[in-house]
Amino acid sequence: MALLIQKFGGTSVGNIERIHRIAELIERTCQTGNQVVVVLSAMSGETDRLWRLAHDVTPHPDARELDVLLSSGERVTIALLAMKLRSRGINARSFTGRQVGIVTNSSHTRARIAKVTADPVRRALAEGVLPIVAGFQGVNERSEVTTLGRGGSDLTAVALAATLQADRCVIFTDVDGVSTADPNVVPTARRIPKLSYEEMLELSSLGAKVLQARSVEFAAKYSVPVEVKSSFQEGEGTLVTHEDVDMERAVVSGVTGDRNQAKITVVGVPDQPGIAANLFGAVAGASVLVDMIIQNVSHQDSLTDISFTVPRNDLARAMALVKRTANEIGARSVEVTEKIAKVSLVGVGMRSHSGVASRMFQTLAREKMNIMMISTSEIKISCVLDEENLNKAVQALHKEFGLESPRETGKIH
Ligand code: ADP
Ligand code: ASP
Ligand code: MG
């Protein structure tokens, strides 16, 4: 008998009819003799709606209260599904994050999991009860409600799978798996049958929201096999697991785009030791993740410009700190460009292949797109562009690297 975690995203519980459908799917899984723990998101659009409500009340809502509000969406779906299953004669019971013992730190709206006890879930399973757990939420050590960042139900599912040592964590969503690009941007994108944690983590961190990046990090750390598949149609999905020998060593596995970017330029900074440490120390202190950084060669007057990118959601927080530090270090001004985006290529085969970057730059040049910033790692290359070029860039690169046809593969090393 296998223990499976089945997580259903927002569209899969988006209305009552869909809740009926997943109740049937869950019932079928239980009938095959497997033990199941279900994790649910809020109905699609609900977390955004609650976020807007809070910001209609006040532009800077209190973070503790915001989490109380945001976590309510998942309470609705777990109760509705438990009712539905019970009406079909299945002994289902809903659990909030607090009830299953998901303990986090106190960083409201982006809390990190510190501990998962899951004892009530274990007890429920032992009694033959089907647990339906609210995703995206936990409590801090003072029992105050926290949320795990957008897409955080994926993390709840993976964390429960790790704690309960489940055989698999299945993420049901509105696409048939992880593809070579977002199928809503590139209709010819192909499903990738198997991916390593490392590649998936890059894809997620670089904008493929099909899995939350932190959930992939967690899955890799605890070796949780994660399967992404459609809740709307039967069929294979994508298995995310440790790299193994029968995995395709694609030079490029996928193309991804990220609009959640903004560029800050500090103009006229004295070109002397300690300046970058001051500037980035202040930003890091506020838990804002700086991604790409460019420092220009200094002008004749020993002044330079430093540009860097931050998540657009964190721009206001970052700007407050950067302006203050820029003042202290005597910089001339601070400029912001919001309408930028990042396009990235990911593939473990890049480790052993050269020439991918130049081919990427040539493709973007052919499309007459200006590259503002570049960053690379062993298995990815990212370019920052004007936001309006993003979809076209993703489509052009997807074509250039032959991702819709059988893939270019590199040697296994
Ligand atoms: P859920 O509500 O089920 O959690 P999400 O909206 O969070 O679903 O994630 C699924 C979406 O991720 C898809 O609808 C798709 O538009 C998007 N997506 C982005 N990149 C990819 C990719 N490489 N492969 C598959 N889907 C992707
Ligand atoms: N409802 C939350 C969100 O929309 C969590 C999730 O769906 O994973 O971000
Ligand atoms: Mg999601």
Side-chain angles (χ1 to χ4, degrees), residues 1-42:
M1 184 171 59
L3 172 61
L4 303 175
I5 309 294
Q6 296 192 320
K7 178 259 170 179
F8 296 87
T11 7
S12 310
V13 292
N15 55 42
I16 299 302
E17 193 199 317
R18 292 201 170 141
I19 291 179
H20 288 191
R21 284 190 50 165
I22 68 159
E24 283 165 15
L25 194 156
I26 294 162
E27 193 175 354
R28 279 201 302 277
T29 319
C30 295
Q31 280 162 354
T32 55
N34 293 308
Q35 270 191 320
V36 178
V37 175
V38 175
V39 175
L40 296 186
S41 288

Side-chain angles (χ1 to χ4, degrees), residues 52-374:
R52 281 195 304 270
L53 269 182
H55 288 81
D56 284 347
V57 169
T58 163
H60 301 290
D62 179 80
R64 178 192 179 279
E65 302 310 327
L66 189 54
D67 271 351
V68 171
L69 182 71
L70 293 181
S71 65
S72 67
E74 273 73 9
R75 285 183 93 113
V76 172
T77 50
I78 54 167
L80 290 175
L81 179 66
M83 287 172 196
K84 180 67 205 167
L85 287 165
R86 293 185 74 81
S87 75
R88 296 169 72 100
I90 296 170
N91 194 3
R93 191 183 301 156
S94 63
F95 292 88
T96 63
R98 174 215 289 257
Q99 286 171 324
V100 294
I102 296 180
V103 181
T104 72
N105 66 10
S106 296
S107 300
H108 285 290
T109 73
R110 57 177 80 195
R112 296 190 78 89
I113 293 181
K115 187 172 77 188
V116 181
T117 56
D119 287 339
V121 176
R122 281 194 195 89
R123 276 199 298 277
L125 287 171
E127 291 165 15
V129 170
L130 169 59
I132 315 287
V133 180
F136 180 52
Q137 54 181 265
V139 285
N140 67 12
E141 70 287 353
R142 294 188 304 282
S143 288
E144 285 170 327
V145 179
T146 54
T147 61
L148 308 176
R150 298 308 306 266
S153 297
D154 296 337
L155 179 58
T156 306
V158 170
L160 275 176
T163 309
L164 298 169
Q165 296 185 319
D167 296 278
R168 193 168 283 198
C169 179
V170 189
I171 306 284
F172 286 96
T173 183
D174 57 358
V175 287
D176 65 356
V178 183
S179 295
T180 48
D182 183 342
N184 291 315
V185 176
V186 184
T188 53
R190 281 186 314 116
R191 176 179 61 86
I192 307 170
K194 216 170 179 189
L195 266 171
S196 65
Y197 291 121
E198 200 184 3
E199 278 178 300
M200 190 65 235
L201 183 57
E202 289 285 9
L203 286 171
S204 296
S205 312
L206 295 167
K209 70 164 182 164
V210 59
L211 275 182
Q212 191 212 31
R214 274 172 49 203
S215 74
V216 183
E217 223 177 319
F218 209 100
K221 188 165 170 197
Y222 295 98
S223 299
V224 177
V226 177
E227 190 181 355
V228 182
K229 62 198 296 188
S230 168
S231 65
F232 296 88
Q233 65 193 60
E234 301 249 336
E236 305 266 291
T238 298
L239 181 64
V240 184
T241 180
H242 287 295
E243 199 170 335
D244 64 30
V245 280
D246 61 297
M247 220 171 248
E248 244 182 296
R249 297 295 192 272
V251 176
V252 175
S253 298
V255 188
T256 168
D258 182 3
R259 290 175 198 278
N260 181 24
Q261 297 283 312
K263 186 172 85 164
I264 300 178
T265 303
V266 188
V267 182
V269 178
D271 197 2
Q272 64 197 39
I275 292 292
N278 263 339
L279 196 57
F280 295 111
V283 181
S287 304
V288 175
L289 283 181
V290 170
D291 183 18
M292 298 188 191
I293 303 175
I294 288 186
Q295 175 166 346
N296 291 345
V297 281
S298 54
H299 314 298
Q300 276 174 341
D301 46 6
S302 280
L303 293 179
T304 182
D305 299 342
I306 299 180
S307 293
F308 55 95
T309 57
V310 295
R312 211 179 285 178
N313 301 338
D314 291 334
L315 181 61
R317 267 180 337 127
M319 274 303 280
L321 293 161
V322 171
K323 277 190 175 152
R324 194 183 325 138
T325 316
N327 237 337
E328 283 162 17
I329 59 182
R332 211 178 281 154
S333 61
V334 182
E335 289 168 8
V336 173
T337 319
E338 270 199 69
K339 297 216 167 304
I340 60 158
K342 187 166 62 177
V343 63
S344 309
L345 296 179
V346 174
V348 283
M350 281 187 211
R351 282 197 200 113
S352 49
H353 273 72
S354 56
V356 179
S358 67
R359 210 165 140 195
M360 180 181 194
F361 305 152
Q362 276 161 19
T363 309
L364 297 176
R366 235 185 0 255
E367 298 291 328
K368 311 229 165 344
M369 292 175 190
N370 184 38
I371 302 173
M372 298 179 207
M373 291 170 140
I374 299 166

